[in-house]
Amino acid sequence: MPLQFNPVKLFAGTGTKELATKIAEHYGRPLGDVTLNKFSDGEFQPSYNETVRGCDVFIIQSTYQPSDNLMELLLMVDAAKRASAHYITAVVPYYGLARQDRKDKPRVAIGAKLVANLLRSAGIHRIMTMDLHAAQIQGFFDIPVDHLDGSIIFVPYIKSLGLDNLIIASPDMGGSYRARTFAKFFNAEVVICDKRRKRANEIESMSIIGDVVGQDVVLIDDICDTAGTLAKAAALIMENGANSVRAVCTHPVLSGKAYETVENSMLTELIVTDTIPLKQESPKIRVLSTAPLFAKAIANVNEHGSISDLFNV
C-alpha cells in the first residue's frame, strides 16, 4: 500500500515570522493564517483562522527571550491539538534555555528539561531544532527529535573564502567537540581557548592551547550572547600571531552591548544564521539563511524521508 500523506500546513509565531515566511517560500506554499489576539494587560491568545483538522501542522517559533515567545508556541500547539490536527511538529530553530541543561550547582533548575516537558504536555508529536547547546538535550524528549546541523550552511561559505592557512578554534573547552567536528570538513587542526569565568558572562582569564602563528583562524560556537568570549578570544589569537580571525555562531542572541563589542573586536566578521532576528545591522555581521534547510527537513518529515541525508556537505 502506498504511503498516505496528510495535508501540510505551516504556521509562524510572531517571534520568527520573517524566517518562517522564507521557509514557506522554499517549501512552496504560503504560511497558514493565524492571529494573535492581545488583551490590555499583556495576555495574548493565538487563534487559527483556517481549519487544521486532519493536517500535519508545523509551528515555527524560536524561543529566545522574552519568554512570551515560548508561551506563544505552547498556546499555538494547544490550539492545534484542540482543533484536531493530525500531527504537530514544533519547529524551534533556536531552543531557548538550552544552557540550563544540567545541575551545575545546588538548588538550580534544569530549564532545558522543563521546556521539553512543557512542549510535550502541550501536545507536540515531534520537534525540529538546530545546533542545541548540548546535543544530550535530545534525550529530554520521548518523541522524535530532528536535530539539524548548522555546519551544512557554514562550511560552503567558509570554503568560498579560500583561506590558505585555515585552522579551527573553540572559544572554550566545552566547545572542543563541536570545533573538531567542524574541522573534519577541512582536514584542519584545532586550537582551544581555555577560559576561566568569575561568573556568568564575565571572563577572569583566557589562554590558547595550540599554535596560531600565521594562521587564518575560525572560531566555532553555537551561541553568541554578549560576544565577550569571542572578542577576548579574537584579541588573544591575534596577539599570538594569527593572520586573521573570524567567528561562526549559529544563534545570534547578541544581548547587552554585544553589537558594540563585535564592531570593536579584532574579528574580521561574525557569521551567524537567522534562527534569531538581528536587532540591528552591523558591518561585521554576516547572516546566512537556515530557510532552505528547514524547508527540506519539513518536506522529508512529511514524505517519510531521511533527515541525515541533508547533512552531506
Side-chain angles (χ1 to χ4, degrees):
M1 180 180 294
L3 290 172
Q4 299 295 315
F5 301 120
N6 294 299
V8 174
K9 292 198 175 183
L10 277 59
F11 295 93
T14 55
T16 318
K17 191 65 175 288
E18 185 177 348
L19 172 58
T21 300
K22 293 178 183 176
I23 292 172
E25 288 174 356
H26 282 278
Y27 188 76
R29 67 181 56 199
L31 286 173
D33 187 9
V34 61
T35 301
L36 188 70
N37 304 303
K38 293 189 176 181
F39 300 91
S40 61
D41 65 349
E43 183 180 333
F44 52 83
Q45 181 185 52
S47 174
Y48 293 100
N49 301 321
E50 58 187 79
T51 184
V52 295
R53 183 180 298 274
C55 296
D56 287 349
V57 172
F58 293 82
I59 303 172
I60 306 165
Q61 175 84 310
S62 285
T63 55
Y64 58 94
Q65 290 302 310
S67 56
D68 284 359
N69 287 322
L70 172 59
M71 193 65 202
E72 183 183 335
L73 174 60
L74 293 170
L75 290 171
M76 289 180 73
V77 170
D78 186 69
K81 177 182 69 175
R82 295 178 188 279
S84 301
H86 172 260
Y87 196 84
I88 303 170
T89 300
V91 181
V92 187
Y94 171 68
Y95 185 94
L97 302 184
R99 286 173 284 185
Q100 299 181 40
D101 62 326
R102 64 195 183 282
K103 281 191 69 174
D104 55 355
K105 57 185 176 181
R107 298 175 295 281
V108 297
I110 304 179
K113 172 62 174 172
L114 176 60
V115 170
N117 289 344
L118 290 169
L119 287 168
R120 187 67 185 95
S121 295
I124 68 169
H125 300 97
R126 187 183 205 98
I127 183 168
M128 183 181 296
T129 188
M130 174 176 280
D131 285 355
L132 289 166
H133 185 63
Q136 296 90 325
I137 291 173
Q138 295 173 83
F140 292 168
F141 291 90
D142 293 323
I143 56 174
V145 178
D146 297 314
H147 186 205
L148 306 187
D149 188 345
S151 62
I152 189 69
I153 298 168
F154 292 119
V155 168
Y157 177 75
I158 297 299
K159 286 182 176 179
S160 73
L161 297 176
L163 302 174
D164 294 328
N165 302 302
L166 177 65
I167 192 168
I168 304 300
S170 171
D172 52 39
M173 295 293 289
S176 59
Y177 176 80
R178 184 180 297 108
R180 288 192 177 95
T181 301
F182 200 88
K184 290 179 182 177
F185 291 106
F186 303 93
N187 194 26
E189 297 295 322
V190 174
V191 298
I192 297 171
C193 300
D194 183 23
K195 68 181 178 185
R196 291 180 57 193
R197 287 192 183 274
K198 285 184 178 179
R199 56 186 68 88
N201 297 130
E202 188 173 340
I203 301 167
E204 181 177 359
S205 63
M206 181 179 283
S207 59
I208 294 180
I209 302 173
D211 183 12
V212 296
V213 175
Q215 302 294 318
D216 293 301
V217 181
V218 177
L219 285 156
I220 306 296
D221 211 346
D222 63 318
I223 296 172
C224 182
D225 189 350
T226 64
T229 295
L230 289 180
K232 192 155 189 171
L236 187 61
I237 286 168
M238 293 302 291
E239 288 169 8
N240 279 265
N243 284 338
S244 67
V245 57
R246 291 172 171 80
V248 164
C249 291
T250 306
H251 308 297
V253 174
L254 298 174
S255 64
K257 297 181 178 180
Y259 288 89
E260 181 182 343
T261 300
V262 169
E263 289 171 11
N264 294 331
S265 72
M266 300 296 292
L267 289 169
T268 300
E269 62 181 340
L270 171 62
I271 307 152
V272 300
T273 74
D274 53 359
T275 58
I276 300 174
L278 295 186
K279 301 180 185 73
Q280 65 185 68
E281 296 295 320
S282 170
K284 279 196 174 184
I285 300 177
R286 177 177 290 274
V287 181
L288 306 180
S289 183
T290 60
L293 179 58
F294 275 107
K296 289 177 184 176
I298 289 170
N300 283 16
V301 166
N302 178 250
E303 297 167 7
H304 309 290
S306 171
I307 296 296
S308 60
D309 286 349
L310 301 177
F311 305 147
N312 297 319
V313 178

mmCIF file of all heavy atoms in Angstrom, residues 160-206:
data_model
loop_
_atom_site.group_PDB
_atom_site.id
_atom_site.type_symbol
_atom_site.label_atom_id
_atom_site.label_comp_id
_atom_site.label_asym_id
_atom_site.label_seq_id
_atom_site.Cartn_x
_atom_site.Cartn_y
_atom_site.Cartn_z
ATOM 1 N N SER A 160 34.281 29.123 0.495
ATOM 2 C CA SER A 160 34.278 30.158 -0.527
ATOM 3 C C SER A 160 35.273 31.283 -0.227
ATOM 4 O O SER A 160 35.639 32.036 -1.128
ATOM 5 C CB SER A 160 32.872 30.753 -0.674
ATOM 6 O OG SER A 160 32.557 31.591 0.434
ATOM 7 N N LEU A 161 35.723 31.390 1.021
ATOM 8 C CA LEU A 161 36.668 32.441 1.399
ATOM 9 C C LEU A 161 38.084 32.138 0.902
ATOM 10 O O LEU A 161 38.918 33.044 0.817
ATOM 11 C CB LEU A 161 36.682 32.622 2.926
ATOM 12 C CG LEU A 161 35.366 33.081 3.562
ATOM 13 C CD1 LEU A 161 35.497 33.113 5.079
ATOM 14 C CD2 LEU A 161 34.955 34.451 3.039
ATOM 15 N N GLY A 162 38.355 30.868 0.615
ATOM 16 C CA GLY A 162 39.661 30.483 0.099
ATOM 17 C C GLY A 162 40.808 30.753 1.062
ATOM 18 O O GLY A 162 41.880 31.209 0.631
ATOM 19 N N LEU A 163 40.606 30.461 2.327
ATOM 20 C CA LEU A 163 41.644 30.682 3.340
ATOM 21 C C LEU A 163 42.720 29.611 3.218
ATOM 22 O O LEU A 163 42.447 28.424 3.380
ATOM 23 C CB LEU A 163 41.022 30.669 4.740
ATOM 24 C CG LEU A 163 39.914 31.716 4.985
ATOM 25 C CD1 LEU A 163 39.267 31.502 6.350
ATOM 26 C CD2 LEU A 163 40.477 33.124 4.874
ATOM 27 N N ASP A 164 43.959 30.009 2.938
ATOM 28 C CA ASP A 164 45.040 29.055 2.684
ATOM 29 C C ASP A 164 45.563 28.387 3.950
ATOM 30 O O ASP A 164 46.018 27.247 3.914
ATOM 31 C CB ASP A 164 46.211 29.765 1.978
ATOM 32 C CG ASP A 164 45.837 30.243 0.588
ATOM 33 O OD1 ASP A 164 45.001 29.565 -0.056
ATOM 34 O OD2 ASP A 164 46.354 31.286 0.151
ATOM 35 N N ASN A 165 45.538 29.108 5.053
ATOM 36 C CA ASN A 165 46.113 28.585 6.304
ATOM 37 C C ASN A 165 45.028 28.442 7.364
ATOM 38 O O ASN A 165 45.148 28.935 8.484
ATOM 39 C CB ASN A 165 47.215 29.524 6.802
ATOM 40 C CG ASN A 165 48.316 29.702 5.775
ATOM 41 O OD1 ASN A 165 48.936 28.734 5.349
ATOM 42 N ND2 ASN A 165 48.549 30.948 5.356
ATOM 43 N N LEU A 166 43.956 27.760 6.990
ATOM 44 C CA LEU A 166 42.791 27.662 7.864
ATOM 45 C C LEU A 166 43.073 26.776 9.078
ATOM 46 O O LEU A 166 43.621 25.675 8.953
ATOM 47 C CB LEU A 166 41.604 27.098 7.088
ATOM 48 C CG LEU A 166 40.317 26.852 7.878
ATOM 49 C CD1 LEU A 166 39.742 28.165 8.398
ATOM 50 C CD2 LEU A 166 39.296 26.121 7.016
ATOM 51 N N ILE A 167 42.663 27.262 10.230
ATOM 52 C CA ILE A 167 42.698 26.471 11.453
ATOM 53 C C ILE A 167 41.422 26.775 12.233
ATOM 54 O O ILE A 167 40.926 27.907 12.224
ATOM 55 C CB ILE A 167 43.962 26.779 12.298
ATOM 56 C CG1 ILE A 167 44.142 25.736 13.419
ATOM 57 C CG2 ILE A 167 43.922 28.190 12.878
ATOM 58 C CD1 ILE A 167 45.489 25.809 14.093
ATOM 59 N N ILE A 168 40.848 25.770 12.866
ATOM 60 C CA ILE A 168 39.594 25.914 13.600
ATOM 61 C C ILE A 168 39.900 26.075 15.086
ATOM 62 O O ILE A 168 40.809 25.442 15.620
ATOM 63 C CB ILE A 168 38.685 24.688 13.383
ATOM 64 C CG1 ILE A 168 38.439 24.458 11.888
ATOM 65 C CG2 ILE A 168 37.362 24.864 14.119
ATOM 66 C CD1 ILE A 168 37.772 25.611 11.176
ATOM 67 N N ALA A 169 39.130 26.941 15.746
ATOM 68 C CA ALA A 169 39.347 27.189 17.167
ATOM 69 C C ALA A 169 38.032 27.072 17.926
ATOM 70 O O ALA A 169 36.959 27.410 17.410
ATOM 71 C CB ALA A 169 39.956 28.573 17.388
ATOM 72 N N SER A 170 38.132 26.611 19.163
ATOM 73 C CA SER A 170 36.995 26.615 20.078
ATOM 74 C C SER A 170 37.221 27.706 21.110
ATOM 75 O O SER A 170 38.318 27.826 21.664
ATOM 76 C CB SER A 170 36.864 25.259 20.791
ATOM 77 O OG SER A 170 35.892 25.338 21.822
ATOM 78 N N PRO A 171 36.205 28.533 21.405
ATOM 79 C CA PRO A 171 36.390 29.608 22.380
ATOM 80 C C PRO A 171 36.440 29.132 23.822
ATOM 81 O O PRO A 171 36.717 29.922 24.726
ATOM 82 C CB PRO A 171 35.170 30.501 22.136
ATOM 83 C CG PRO A 171 34.128 29.575 21.612
ATOM 84 C CD PRO A 171 34.866 28.552 20.791
ATOM 85 N N ASP A 172 36.177 27.838 24.053
ATOM 86 C CA ASP A 172 36.270 27.280 25.406
ATOM 87 C C ASP A 172 36.431 25.763 25.309
ATOM 88 O O ASP A 172 36.260 25.166 24.241
ATOM 89 C CB ASP A 172 35.043 27.647 26.260
ATOM 90 C CG ASP A 172 33.727 27.297 25.577
ATOM 91 O OD1 ASP A 172 33.642 26.241 24.932
ATOM 92 O OD2 ASP A 172 32.781 28.092 25.689
ATOM 93 N N MET A 173 36.717 25.144 26.439
ATOM 94 C CA MET A 173 36.924 23.691 26.459
ATOM 95 C C MET A 173 35.645 22.939 26.100
ATOM 96 O O MET A 173 35.671 21.918 25.433
ATOM 97 C CB MET A 173 37.408 23.256 27.849
ATOM 98 C CG MET A 173 38.783 23.795 28.227
ATOM 99 S SD MET A 173 40.107 23.105 27.213
ATOM 100 C CE MET A 173 40.156 21.424 27.831
ATOM 101 N N GLY A 174 34.492 23.472 26.550
ATOM 102 C CA GLY A 174 33.225 22.800 26.316
ATOM 103 C C GLY A 174 32.862 22.689 24.847
ATOM 104 O O GLY A 174 32.119 21.796 24.452
ATOM 105 N N GLY A 175 33.386 23.594 24.018
ATOM 106 C CA GLY A 175 33.058 23.570 22.602
ATOM 107 C C GLY A 175 34.052 22.824 21.743
ATOM 108 O O GLY A 175 33.973 22.873 20.511
ATOM 109 N N SER A 176 34.990 22.114 22.373
ATOM 110 C CA SER A 176 36.054 21.450 21.614
ATOM 111 C C SER A 176 35.509 20.357 20.693
ATOM 112 O O SER A 176 35.995 20.185 19.561
ATOM 113 C CB SER A 176 37.101 20.865 22.563
ATOM 114 O OG SER A 176 36.511 19.936 23.454
ATOM 115 N N TYR A 177 34.492 19.634 21.147
ATOM 116 C CA TYR A 177 33.920 18.580 20.296
ATOM 117 C C TYR A 177 33.285 19.190 19.054
ATOM 118 O O TYR A 177 33.462 18.690 17.934
ATOM 119 C CB TYR A 177 32.883 17.763 21.073
ATOM 120 C CG TYR A 177 32.193 16.718 20.223
ATOM 121 C CD1 TYR A 177 32.816 15.507 19.942
ATOM 122 C CD2 TYR A 177 30.921 16.942 19.681
ATOM 123 C CE1 TYR A 177 32.206 14.544 19.141
ATOM 124 C CE2 TYR A 177 30.297 15.993 18.891
ATOM 125 C CZ TYR A 177 30.942 14.796 18.629
ATOM 126 O OH TYR A 177 30.328 13.845 17.844
ATOM 127 N N ARG A 178 32.560 20.291 19.252
ATOM 128 C CA ARG A 178 31.924 20.974 18.119
ATOM 129 C C ARG A 178 32.978 21.459 17.128
ATOM 130 O O ARG A 178 32.823 21.327 15.918
ATOM 131 C CB ARG A 178 31.093 22.152 18.639
ATOM 132 C CG ARG A 178 30.312 22.889 17.562
ATOM 133 C CD ARG A 178 29.512 24.053 18.133
ATOM 134 N NE ARG A 178 28.504 23.612 19.078
ATOM 135 C CZ ARG A 178 28.570 23.802 20.388
ATOM 136 N NH1 ARG A 178 29.606 24.432 20.912
ATOM 137 N NH2 ARG A 178 27.621 23.365 21.178
ATOM 138 N N ALA A 179 34.074 22.012 17.643
ATOM 139 C CA ALA A 179 35.145 22.519 16.778
ATOM 140 C C ALA A 179 35.812 21.380 16.006
ATOM 141 O O ALA A 179 36.108 21.512 14.810
ATOM 142 C CB ALA A 179 36.176 23.267 17.610
ATOM 143 N N ARG A 180 36.060 20.254 16.665
ATOM 144 C CA ARG A 180 36.697 19.119 15.997
ATOM 145 C C ARG A 180 35.808 18.548 14.902
ATOM 146 O O ARG A 180 36.292 18.149 13.833
ATOM 147 C CB ARG A 180 37.050 18.033 17.022
ATOM 148 C CG ARG A 180 38.204 18.409 17.931
ATOM 149 C CD ARG A 180 38.709 17.214 18.721
ATOM 150 N NE ARG A 180 39.866 17.575 19.524
ATOM 151 C CZ ARG A 180 39.816 17.936 20.794
ATOM 152 N NH1 ARG A 180 38.651 17.953 21.420
ATOM 153 N NH2 ARG A 180 40.904 18.260 21.455
ATOM 154 N N THR A 181 34.501 18.502 15.171
ATOM 155 C CA THR A 181 33.559 18.020 14.160
ATOM 156 C C THR A 181 33.583 18.923 12.938
ATOM 157 O O THR A 181 33.583 18.460 11.788
ATOM 158 C CB THR A 181 32.134 17.966 14.743
ATOM 159 O OG1 THR A 181 32.124 17.097 15.888
ATOM 160 C CG2 THR A 181 31.142 17.458 13.716
ATOM 161 N N PHE A 182 33.621 20.240 13.164
ATOM 162 C CA PHE A 182 33.661 21.212 12.076
ATOM 163 C C PHE A 182 34.977 21.098 11.304
ATOM 164 O O PHE A 182 35.004 21.188 10.076
ATOM 165 C CB PHE A 182 33.508 22.613 12.657
ATOM 166 C CG PHE A 182 33.074 23.656 11.668
ATOM 167 C CD1 PHE A 182 31.728 23.897 11.429
ATOM 168 C CD2 PHE A 182 34.008 24.402 10.978
ATOM 169 C CE1 PHE A 182 31.319 24.871 10.529
ATOM 170 C CE2 PHE A 182 33.617 25.370 10.067
ATOM 171 C CZ PHE A 182 32.272 25.601 9.835
ATOM 172 N N ALA A 183 36.082 20.893 12.036
ATOM 173 C CA ALA A 183 37.412 20.840 11.414
ATOM 174 C C ALA A 183 37.550 19.678 10.437
ATOM 175 O O ALA A 183 38.343 19.747 9.485
ATOM 176 C CB ALA A 183 38.480 20.747 12.501
ATOM 177 N N LYS A 184 36.781 18.597 10.643
ATOM 178 C CA LYS A 184 36.869 17.436 9.764
ATOM 179 C C LYS A 184 36.495 17.772 8.322
ATOM 180 O O LYS A 184 36.988 17.143 7.380
ATOM 181 C CB LYS A 184 35.967 16.313 10.291
ATOM 182 C CG LYS A 184 36.473 15.674 11.579
ATOM 183 C CD LYS A 184 35.508 14.591 12.063
ATOM 184 C CE LYS A 184 35.985 13.976 13.374
ATOM 185 N NZ LYS A 184 35.017 12.963 13.883
ATOM 186 N N PHE A 185 35.632 18.763 8.141
ATOM 187 C CA PHE A 185 35.235 19.143 6.788
ATOM 188 C C PHE A 185 36.388 19.761 6.006
ATOM 189 O O PHE A 185 36.366 19.799 4.779
ATOM 190 C CB PHE A 185 34.071 20.138 6.840
ATOM 191 C CG PHE A 185 32.779 19.554 7.331
ATOM 192 C CD1 PHE A 185 32.301 19.830 8.602
ATOM 193 C CD2 PHE A 185 32.033 18.717 6.515
ATOM 194 C CE1 PHE A 185 31.114 19.296 9.054
ATOM 195 C CE2 PHE A 185 30.833 18.174 6.959
ATOM 196 C CZ PHE A 185 30.373 18.462 8.237
ATOM 197 N N PHE A 186 37.400 20.266 6.726
ATOM 198 C CA PHE A 186 38.518 20.958 6.090
ATOM 199 C C PHE A 186 39.852 20.242 6.301
ATOM 200 O O PHE A 186 40.887 20.718 5.863
ATOM 201 C CB PHE A 186 38.633 22.386 6.653
ATOM 202 C CG PHE A 186 37.386 23.207 6.494
ATOM 203 C CD1 PHE A 186 36.444 23.266 7.497
ATOM 204 C CD2 PHE A 186 37.161 23.908 5.318
ATOM 205 C CE1 PHE A 186 35.291 24.028 7.351
ATOM 206 C CE2 PHE A 186 36.015 24.681 5.165
ATOM 207 C CZ PHE A 186 35.079 24.728 6.181
ATOM 208 N N ASN A 187 39.798 19.113 7.029
ATOM 209 C CA ASN A 187 41.035 18.420 7.404
ATOM 210 C C ASN A 187 41.993 19.400 8.084
ATOM 211 O O ASN A 187 43.203 19.446 7.791
ATOM 212 C CB ASN A 187 41.696 17.786 6.175
ATOM 213 C CG ASN A 187 42.767 16.784 6.545
ATOM 214 O OD1 ASN A 187 42.736 16.181 7.627
ATOM 215 N ND2 ASN A 187 43.747 16.623 5.672
ATOM 216 N N ALA A 188 41.441 20.206 8.970
ATOM 217 C CA ALA A 188 42.202 21.270 9.629
ATOM 218 C C ALA A 188 42.496 20.920 11.084
ATOM 219 O O ALA A 188 41.830 20.075 11.683
ATOM 220 C CB ALA A 188 41.421 22.583 9.571
ATOM 221 N N GLU A 189 43.516 21.580 11.635
ATOM 222 C CA GLU A 189 43.871 21.417 13.040
ATOM 223 C C GLU A 189 42.911 22.238 13.907
ATOM 224 O O GLU A 189 42.215 23.146 13.434
ATOM 225 C CB GLU A 189 45.312 21.877 13.294
ATOM 226 C CG GLU A 189 46.363 21.049 12.552
ATOM 227 C CD GLU A 189 46.389 19.608 13.035
ATOM 228 O OE1 GLU A 189 46.222 19.391 14.259
ATOM 229 O OE2 GLU A 189 46.555 18.708 12.194
ATOM 230 N N VAL A 190 42.916 21.921 15.199
ATOM 231 C CA VAL A 190 42.049 22.613 16.160
ATOM 232 C C VAL A 190 42.882 23.178 17.298
ATOM 233 O O VAL A 190 43.777 22.501 17.822
ATOM 234 C CB VAL A 190 40.979 21.652 16.741
ATOM 235 C CG1 VAL A 190 40.169 22.344 17.849
ATOM 236 C CG2 VAL A 190 40.042 21.162 15.647
ATOM 237 N N VAL A 191 42.602 24.428 17.663
ATOM 238 C CA VAL A 191 43.190 25.015 18.875
ATOM 239 C C VAL A 191 42.035 25.368 19.802
ATOM 240 O O VAL A 191 40.884 25.531 19.372
ATOM 241 C CB VAL A 191 44.036 26.268 18.571
ATOM 242 C CG1 VAL A 191 45.203 25.924 17.669
ATOM 243 C CG2 VAL A 191 43.187 27.378 17.974
ATOM 244 N N ILE A 192 42.350 25.485 21.093
ATOM 245 C CA ILE A 192 41.319 25.724 22.103
ATOM 246 C C ILE A 192 41.696 26.926 22.948
ATOM 247 O O ILE A 192 42.847 27.045 23.397
ATOM 248 C CB ILE A 192 41.123 24.486 23.001
ATOM 249 C CG1 ILE A 192 40.635 23.299 22.155
ATOM 250 C CG2 ILE A 192 40.124 24.779 24.115
ATOM 251 C CD1 ILE A 192 40.611 21.984 22.888
ATOM 252 N N CYS A 193 40.737 27.811 23.159
ATOM 253 C CA CYS A 193 40.910 28.934 24.088
ATOM 254 C C CYS A 193 40.352 28.497 25.444
ATOM 255 O O CYS A 193 39.141 28.301 25.574
ATOM 256 C CB CYS A 193 40.182 30.169 23.582
ATOM 257 S SG CYS A 193 40.754 30.754 21.978
ATOM 258 N N ASP A 194 41.239 28.327 26.390
ATOM 259 C CA ASP A 194 40.839 27.862 27.719
ATOM 260 C C ASP A 194 40.512 29.075 28.582
ATOM 261 O O ASP A 194 41.372 29.920 28.840
ATOM 262 C CB ASP A 194 41.977 27.050 28.345
ATOM 263 C CG ASP A 194 41.593 26.465 29.703
ATOM 264 O OD1 ASP A 194 40.375 26.312 29.951
ATOM 265 O OD2 ASP A 194 42.497 26.183 30.496
ATOM 266 N N LYS A 195 39.251 29.178 29.018
ATOM 267 C CA LYS A 195 38.841 30.354 29.786
ATOM 268 C C LYS A 195 38.383 29.961 31.185
ATOM 269 O O LYS A 195 37.922 28.851 31.432
ATOM 270 C CB LYS A 195 37.712 31.097 29.075
ATOM 271 C CG LYS A 195 36.386 30.354 29.026
ATOM 272 C CD LYS A 195 35.327 31.139 28.274
ATOM 273 C CE LYS A 195 34.028 30.327 28.204
ATOM 274 N NZ LYS A 195 32.999 30.990 27.396
ATOM 275 N N ARG A 196 38.539 30.918 32.099
ATOM 276 C CA ARG A 196 38.007 30.795 33.450
ATOM 277 C C ARG A 196 37.038 31.944 33.666
ATOM 278 O O ARG A 196 37.346 33.096 33.377
ATOM 279 C CB ARG A 196 39.129 30.869 34.486
ATOM 280 C CG ARG A 196 40.060 29.659 34.478
ATOM 281 C CD ARG A 196 41.132 29.826 35.539
ATOM 282 N NE ARG A 196 40.551 30.008 36.869
ATOM 283 C CZ ARG A 196 41.239 30.418 37.935
ATOM 284 N NH1 ARG A 196 42.525 30.720 37.815
ATOM 285 N NH2 ARG A 196 40.652 30.547 39.097
ATOM 286 N N ARG A 197 35.853 31.614 34.207
ATOM 287 C CA ARG A 197 34.841 32.641 34.445
ATOM 288 C C ARG A 197 34.789 33.039 35.918
ATOM 289 O O ARG A 197 34.923 32.182 36.801
ATOM 290 C CB ARG A 197 33.449 32.140 34.047
ATOM 291 C CG ARG A 197 33.223 32.040 32.545
ATOM 292 C CD ARG A 197 31.734 31.836 32.276
ATOM 293 N NE ARG A 197 31.440 31.655 30.866
ATOM 294 C CZ ARG A 197 31.232 32.636 30.011
ATOM 295 N NH1 ARG A 197 31.325 33.884 30.427
ATOM 296 N NH2 ARG A 197 30.950 32.385 28.754
ATOM 297 N N LYS A 198 34.604 34.342 36.169
ATOM 298 C CA LYS A 198 34.275 34.788 37.521
ATOM 299 C C LYS A 198 32.819 34.444 37.816
ATOM 300 O O LYS A 198 32.478 33.957 38.881
ATOM 301 C CB LYS A 198 34.455 36.302 37.636
ATOM 302 C CG LYS A 198 35.900 36.771 37.716
ATOM 303 C CD LYS A 198 35.927 38.283 37.924
ATOM 304 C CE LYS A 198 37.360 38.783 38.047
ATOM 305 N NZ LYS A 198 37.403 40.263 38.228
ATOM 306 N N ARG A 199 31.944 34.746 36.837
ATOM 307 C CA ARG A 199 30.514 34.496 36.936
ATOM 308 C C ARG A 199 29.966 34.492 35.513
ATOM 309 O O ARG A 199 30.716 34.704 34.561
ATOM 310 C CB ARG A 199 29.812 35.570 37.785
ATOM 311 C CG ARG A 199 30.033 36.981 37.280
ATOM 312 C CD ARG A 199 29.449 38.022 38.236
ATOM 313 N NE ARG A 199 30.184 38.048 39.489
ATOM 314 C CZ ARG A 199 31.260 38.802 39.692
ATOM 315 N NH1 ARG A 199 31.748 39.574 38.708
ATOM 316 N NH2 ARG A 199 31.875 38.791 40.843
ATOM 317 N N ALA A 200 28.653 34.244 35.372
ATOM 318 C CA ALA A 200 28.043 34.203 34.037
ATOM 319 C C ALA A 200 28.321 35.494 33.279
ATOM 320 O O ALA A 200 28.160 36.587 33.820
ATOM 321 C CB ALA A 200 26.531 33.972 34.148
ATOM 322 N N ASN A 201 28.741 35.345 32.012
ATOM 323 C CA ASN A 201 29.014 36.464 31.097
ATOM 324 C C ASN A 201 30.205 37.324 31.516
ATOM 325 O O ASN A 201 30.382 38.430 31.007
ATOM 326 C CB ASN A 201 27.774 37.369 30.934
ATOM 327 C CG ASN A 201 26.598 36.660 30.302
ATOM 328 O OD1 ASN A 201 25.496 36.711 30.822
ATOM 329 N ND2 ASN A 201 26.830 35.985 29.192
ATOM 330 N N GLU A 202 31.062 36.825 32.422
ATOM 331 C CA GLU A 202 32.236 37.591 32.827
ATOM 332 C C GLU A 202 33.451 36.670 32.919
ATOM 333 O O GLU A 202 33.468 35.716 33.695
ATOM 334 C CB GLU A 202 32.003 38.273 34.171
ATOM 335 C CG GLU A 202 33.114 39.250 34.549
ATOM 336 C CD GLU A 202 32.787 40.053 35.799
ATOM 337 O OE1 GLU A 202 31.608 40.158 36.159
ATOM 338 O OE2 GLU A 202 33.743 40.576 36.418
ATOM 339 N N ILE A 203 34.487 36.938 32.095
ATOM 340 C CA ILE A 203 35.663 36.077 31.999
ATOM 341 C C ILE A 203 36.778 36.615 32.882
ATOM 342 O O ILE A 203 37.073 37.802 32.890
ATOM 343 C CB ILE A 203 36.151 35.994 30.537
ATOM 344 C CG1 ILE A 203 35.037 35.447 29.638
ATOM 345 C CG2 ILE A 203 37.388 35.127 30.427
ATOM 346 C CD1 ILE A 203 35.319 35.613 28.167
ATOM 347 N N GLU A 204 37.414 35.710 33.646
ATOM 348 C CA GLU A 204 38.532 36.105 34.502
ATOM 349 C C GLU A 204 39.851 36.037 33.736
ATOM 350 O O GLU A 204 40.664 36.962 33.788
ATOM 351 C CB GLU A 204 38.592 35.197 35.732
ATOM 352 C CG GLU A 204 39.707 35.547 36.700
ATOM 353 C CD GLU A 204 39.684 34.679 37.942
ATOM 354 O OE1 GLU A 204 38.800 33.827 38.065
ATOM 355 O OE2 GLU A 204 40.573 34.868 38.790
ATOM 356 N N SER A 205 40.084 34.936 33.033
ATOM 357 C CA SER A 205 41.336 34.797 32.281
ATOM 358 C C SER A 205 41.129 33.840 31.109
ATOM 359 O O SER A 205 40.176 33.077 31.079
ATOM 360 C CB SER A 205 42.445 34.261 33.195
ATOM 361 O OG SER A 205 42.128 32.954 33.657
ATOM 362 N N MET A 206 42.056 33.908 30.124
ATOM 363 C CA MET A 206 41.966 33.046 28.943
ATOM 364 C C MET A 206 43.363 32.782 28.404
ATOM 365 O O MET A 206 44.224 33.670 28.432
ATOM 366 C CB MET A 206 41.094 33.711 27.876
ATOM 367 C CG MET A 206 40.914 32.880 26.609
ATOM 368 S SD MET A 206 39.854 33.685 25.368
ATOM 369 C CE MET A 206 38.238 33.387 26.080
#
